[in-house]
Amino acid sequence: ALAILRSECRRAPSPAQVADHLAAELATVLAPGQFITLWLARIDVSAGRIDVVDAGHGQAWMHRRGQGAVRLDLAGHPPVGVLAGATHVAESLRFEPGTMLVVATDGFTEGVADMPIEPPMPADTASAALLARLRARHRRGSDDASVLVLAARD
């Protein structure tokens, strides 16, 4: 799946087309009941925009300077492999300097709204704070728990 994803990211012009092609390719190899959740984004720094496809993930928050965490209310799509022939639509979000984006797996959702991060905190500092909170709350082996933090620099 990762090789197909990499190939499609190089070839397709939008995250929606990447997700469509990935779903079509994986439909031929995934066993019944298997699926992949995907949160796919393409960042256009010069335009201050991020184009996103959420396929069964649903765990993302945007932090803008002075506003705190806001959970992203994306349309969402089923996980890749659940519906053959699913089509995806990318949504565009502002991703300007001073913005921080947090994407987390479902093993790390409790307490995200009161996360101890605030732009312009560097992404590595924010990641460390979030991972410390994760380790304090998460029982080893109970679920997957990963977090990605992206910061648009001033």
Side-chain angles (χ1 to χ4, degrees):
L2 189 55
I4 296 169
L5 179 61
R6 284 183 181 145
S7 173
E8 291 301 328
C9 284
R10 289 184 193 105
R11 190 174 73 75
S14 77
Q17 288 174 321
V18 171
D20 287 349
H21 296 157
L22 180 65
E25 288 294 322
L26 292 179
T28 65
V29 297
L30 290 176
Q34 288 185 321
F35 60 87
I36 296 171
T37 60
L38 178 71
W39 202 91
L40 183 63
R42 182 164 284 157
I43 301 170
D44 185 338
V45 176
S46 62
R49 186 183 78 234
I50 184 168
D51 297 326
V52 177
V53 169
D54 180 354
H57 203 297
Q59 312 293 328
W61 295 262
M62 189 74 76
H63 296 254
R64 298 193 197 285
R65 189 175 287 130
Q67 295 180 9
V70 176
R71 186 170 184 153
L72 295 179
D73 186 21
L74 301 174
H77 301 87
V80 173
V82 171
L83 293 175
T87 57
H88 300 83
V89 177
E91 297 180 61
S92 291
L93 306 169
R94 289 181 309 129
F95 193 64
E96 300 161 335
T99 302
M100 190 173 292
L101 173 69
V102 177
V103 182
T105 58
D106 62 354
F108 184 57
T109 56
E110 301 85 16
V112 173
D114 63 342
M115 287 187 288
I117 66 172
E118 180 66 31
M121 179 185 287
D124 57 347
T125 304
S127 296
L130 293 171
L131 289 173
R133 173 173 277 194
L134 170 64
R135 288 185 188 109
R137 292 181 175 205
H138 191 73
R139 294 180 310 144
R140 186 177 302 266
S142 62
D143 195 2
D144 68 323
S146 301
V147 63
L148 168 70
V149 178
L150 298 174
R153 295 183 181 172
D154 288 320

